[in-house]
Amino acid sequence: MCIRTRPIMIKKLQPRKLKPIQLLPKLKDLQKDDSIKKVVITTQDEQRVDFSSQTAQKALLRKLLAEGNVSAFADFHNLYASIKNLSERDAETIQASLERVEEEVFAGKRLKALRTLHELASAYLDKDSKDIARYFYEKVLNVAKAWGLEEGNVQLFAEAHVKAQLGFIKCLDFNSESDLALSILREASANDKYKENVTSQLIELHGKMAEIEEAKGNAPVALDHYYRSLDACKATFN
C-alpha cells in the first residue's frame, strides 16, 4: 500500500536585528546654559531624563562617566565630596588635566601621567589652594606606590613618590598633623637625591612646631623642637 505524504515546507528564518546594548547612558543630547545648570541625557530606551534641578557638579560627573573617563569621574566625585567651593574654572582646569592623565596612562606613559598630576597639585599649592593640592599629591603617592608594586620596580617611581611627599607636607596643618609630617619626612630622607630638600623641610617643621608649642605655654616641648631644628641645621653642614 502506497501512502502519499505532503512535502514539508521549511520556512527560512531571517536573522533578527538586535539593538546594541549600551552599558552607560549615551550623552546624545547635551543642553546647558552658561553655568551648566541643565543637562538632558537620552538613554538607550529613548527615555529623556531632565537634570535641570541638578547642580553643575552633577552635570559634569555624568558627562565624564558617559564619555568613559571613569578615573576622572572618581576623582571629581571625591573632590566634590570633600571640597564644597570648587569653582567652575577650577573644575575645567582639573578636568583637562585628568583627561590628559587618562590618555597618558592608556598610552603606557605612567611616569608622564604622574608628572601631570604633580604639576596639577603644585599649581594649586602655588595658589594656596591646599585642599585641592593635597588631594592630588596624595593621589600621586598612592598611584606611584601601586604601580611600583605592580611592575615589580618600586625605584622606577621613587622620584615621583618623594617629590609628592615633599609637596604633600606643605599642605598639612602642623597644629594637628605634625606627627604625620615627621613620619613622611623620615621616610623621604631615605632618598639621597632629595636629602637636602628633606632637611630643609625638617628645619622648617620643627621651627613652626616650636612656635606653636611656645604659644600654648609648653616651653619644654617648644625648646625640644628648637633643638631638633638646630640639629637639622648642623646636619646640612656635615
Side-chain angles (χ1 to χ4, degrees):
M1 181 177 175
C2 182
I3 301 175
R4 290 186 177 181
T5 59
R6 295 179 63 183
I8 299 173
M9 303 296 291
I10 300 176
K11 186 177 180 182
K12 188 176 180 181
L13 297 176
Q14 297 295 324
R16 184 181 174 188
K17 291 184 179 180
L18 298 176
K19 197 172 183 180
I21 298 173
Q22 296 172 358
L23 298 179
L24 296 173
K26 186 177 179 183
L27 202 62
K28 196 174 182 180
D29 184 17
L30 182 63
Q31 298 177 350
K32 55 185 180 179
D33 61 18
D34 293 337
S35 56
I36 328 177
K37 294 294 182 183
K38 183 177 181 179
V39 176
V40 179
I41 293 180
T42 304
T43 59
Q44 60 193 49
D45 56 0
E46 303 303 324
Q47 291 179 346
R48 298 175 69 82
V49 185
D50 191 348
F51 292 93
S52 57
S53 62
Q54 303 295 338
T55 64
Q57 297 175 0
K58 291 185 178 180
L60 177 56
L61 286 173
R62 289 186 174 276
K63 181 178 184 293
L64 288 169
L65 190 59
E67 291 176 351
N69 295 316
V70 180
S71 179
F73 167 84
D75 282 317
F76 266 104
H77 186 277
N78 293 333
L79 278 169
Y80 284 138
S82 58
I83 302 168
K84 305 302 181 184
N85 59 342
L86 191 68
S87 70
E88 187 177 335
R89 171 178 280 185
D90 286 334
E92 290 173 353
T93 300
I94 294 170
Q95 180 187 356
S97 293
L98 291 179
E99 287 177 351
R100 189 162 76 250
V101 167
E102 289 206 43
E103 291 172 3
E104 289 163 351
V105 172
F106 185 76
K109 300 175 181 178
R110 287 181 162 183
L111 283 173
K112 193 172 182 181
L114 288 175
R115 280 196 296 272
T116 301
L117 284 172
H118 191 278
E119 288 168 2
L120 180 62
S122 298
Y124 278 98
L125 181 61
D126 290 342
K127 294 195 291 186
D128 204 34
S129 298
K130 291 185 177 180
D131 46 359
I132 300 176
R134 176 173 178 155
Y135 178 86
F136 287 108
Y137 279 130
E138 191 168 10
K139 183 176 177 67
V140 174
L141 291 172
N142 293 332
V143 171
K145 186 175 182 179
W147 284 348
L149 293 172
E150 182 184 317
E151 297 192 14
N153 187 357
V154 177
Q155 289 303 313
L156 180 63
F157 304 103
E159 184 172 344
H161 193 271
V162 173
K163 288 172 70 176
Q165 284 178 315
L166 297 175
F168 182 75
I169 287 169
K170 294 177 182 177
C171 302
L172 298 178
D173 180 2
F174 293 155
N175 283 291
S176 59
E177 298 176 301
S178 58
D179 289 341
L180 175 59
L182 285 170
S183 175
I184 292 172
L185 283 173
R186 289 191 198 103
E187 183 184 341
S189 64
N191 189 307
D192 293 333
K193 184 177 179 180
Y194 290 93
K195 189 161 285 187
E196 188 176 332
N197 302 71
V198 171
T199 303
S200 176
Q201 288 209 13
L202 200 57
I203 293 168
E204 182 182 353
L205 172 61
H206 281 300
K208 287 183 177 179
M209 286 306 302
E211 291 173 3
I212 290 170
E213 294 301 331
E214 192 173 8
K216 292 178 182 177
N218 298 331
V221 179
L223 188 61
D224 180 62
H225 280 294
Y226 279 127
Y227 276 124
R228 289 175 183 270
S229 181
L230 183 61
D231 289 339
C233 283
K234 290 177 180 178
T236 59
F237 296 103
N238 294 337

